[in-house]
Amino acid sequence: MDRREEQESEIEALESIYPTEFSLLESDPYIFRIFVKSEGYEDGDRGLCVLLKFKIPPSYPDEVPEFEVLTNIYDNEDEEIDEVYETNLELNHITDLKDFLTTRSQENLGMAMVFTMVSETQEWLNSRYEKELREREEEERRRIQEAEEAEMNQFEGTKVNVQNFMEWKLKFDAEMAIKRRSILEKEKELIGNKLTGRELFTRDTTLNESDLKFLEEEEVTIDESLFADVDELDLNDDEEEDDDE
């Protein structure tokens, strides 16, 4: 079997193994794409995926195939695409994957290697995806722990030590000094506005005439009966005592 026949057999095998992921673009030389996805990709968990494009050289498998990682299907606008596939890896991870596949292709030189490269790409994606899941879980645990600690701190308050007590005392003393100053200023203002009796009479002369006006306006009657018994009072004793002295 010559190389062309070996290449044709490998292409048929790939089409059989990846019926929906494989897309043949050209036949001479063979150019095709394979969509590779990690575990969890079709379970609604949105795993990792990558779109690989291969070009088989005439001397393959004695020469490694050319390959590239397409970021999305629109990297080649001339191709007719039945489904939209795209790579959801970050750029630095795409670089890591390319280096990984380059090493694997060199290790399998002389053998049909596309299936091996695709299989190891899937394992690489699974490993990367499991690591991301662990990081997400760890981040979620950290977020929950921080939320719980923040809630507990609301009930526990701040622990007192010498430093934060002195900071609080300085702030408290400053606030109290401001309040005392404000009270004193208000008291001075009230005292300053309060007039003495002399000042009231001096400023308002009508106060001097108030009693006289009362006597003039009102007729004052005297009840003489209240003084009827005055003459009967015994005042001799007092007078005698005065004479003896």
Side-chain angles (χ1 to χ4, degrees):
M1 181 182 297
D2 60 17
R3 290 174 178 169
R4 179 65 183 180
E5 291 176 347
E6 289 180 357
Q7 295 172 10
E8 184 177 350
S9 296
E10 185 173 5
I11 294 299
E12 292 175 355
L14 291 172
E15 287 178 322
S16 176
I17 297 171
Y18 306 105
T20 59
E21 297 87 353
F22 180 92
S23 297
L24 181 63
L25 305 178
E26 296 183 23
S27 298
D28 191 16
Y30 284 114
I31 301 176
F32 54 89
R33 291 190 321 267
I34 299 180
F35 182 64
V36 188
K37 54 200 175 207
S38 69
E39 295 177 355
Y41 181 81
E42 295 179 347
D43 296 334
D45 195 23
R46 191 60 177 172
L48 299 178
C49 59
V50 65
L51 189 60
L52 299 178
K53 182 178 180 181
F54 294 90
K55 180 179 180 180
I56 304 299
S59 58
Y60 174 86
D62 294 329
E63 182 181 353
V64 297
E66 298 177 15
F67 72 90
E68 59 181 309
V69 177
L70 302 179
T71 55
N72 58 60
I73 206 63
Y74 304 106
D75 284 352
N76 190 337
E77 297 180 355
D78 295 332
E79 300 172 2
E80 294 182 1
I81 306 302
D82 295 330
E83 295 184 62
V84 176
Y85 294 122
E86 62 181 1
T87 296
N88 63 2
L89 294 178
E90 297 179 3
L91 291 178
N92 60 320
H93 294 155
I94 290 177
T95 301
D96 293 341
L97 178 59
K98 288 180 177 179
D99 294 340
F100 173 78
L101 291 178
T102 299
T103 301
R104 290 294 181 269
S105 63
Q106 293 293 335
E107 293 174 351
N108 288 276
L109 191 62
M111 300 180 291
M113 66 185 75
V114 174
F115 174 74
T116 299
M117 293 174 68
V118 173
S119 297
E120 295 201 7
T121 296
Q122 188 172 31
E123 292 179 4
W124 187 93
L125 291 175
N126 288 337
S127 176
R128 180 71 235 174
Y129 180 58
E130 290 174 359
K131 182 178 180 181
E132 288 191 4
L133 285 180
R134 290 193 298 270
E135 291 174 351
R136 292 181 198 171
E137 293 173 356
E138 181 62 28
E139 179 63 26
E140 181 65 14
R141 282 195 296 269
R142 182 165 50 252
R143 185 190 66 79
I144 294 174
Q145 182 178 358
E146 290 176 354
E148 291 176 349
E149 290 176 353
E151 185 175 359
M152 290 299 297
N153 289 335
Q154 293 178 355
F155 297 99
E156 292 180 358
T158 303
K159 294 183 178 180
V160 178
N161 54 42
V162 175
Q163 180 179 356
N164 59 29
F165 173 77
M166 293 305 298
E167 291 175 355
W168 170 85
K169 188 176 185 305
L170 290 174
K171 183 178 179 182
F172 176 77
D173 290 345
E175 292 176 352
M176 293 304 297
I178 294 173
K179 290 182 179 179
R180 285 194 295 269
R181 191 179 303 114
S182 177
I183 292 173
L184 290 174
E185 290 175 354
K186 289 181 179 179
E187 289 179 349
K188 289 180 180 179
E189 183 179 351
L190 291 174
I191 293 174
N193 294 333
K194 186 176 180 181
L195 300 177
T196 65
R198 175 183 289 275
E199 291 172 335
L200 287 173
F201 277 97
T202 302
R203 294 191 179 192
D204 189 358
T205 56
T206 60
L207 295 175
N208 298 328
E209 303 172 357
S210 61
D211 291 342
L212 295 175
K213 286 184 177 181
F214 174 74
L215 293 174
E216 292 173 356
E217 293 174 359
E218 297 291 337
E219 183 179 354
V220 179
T221 59
I222 301 174
D223 188 357
E224 295 180 358
S225 63
L226 296 175
F227 304 95
D229 299 331
V230 173
D231 295 335
E232 299 177 1
L233 293 175
D234 186 7
L235 301 176
N236 295 329
D237 293 340
D238 294 336
E239 294 177 356
E240 294 177 356
E241 291 177 0
D242 293 336
D243 293 341
D244 291 341
E245 293 176 357

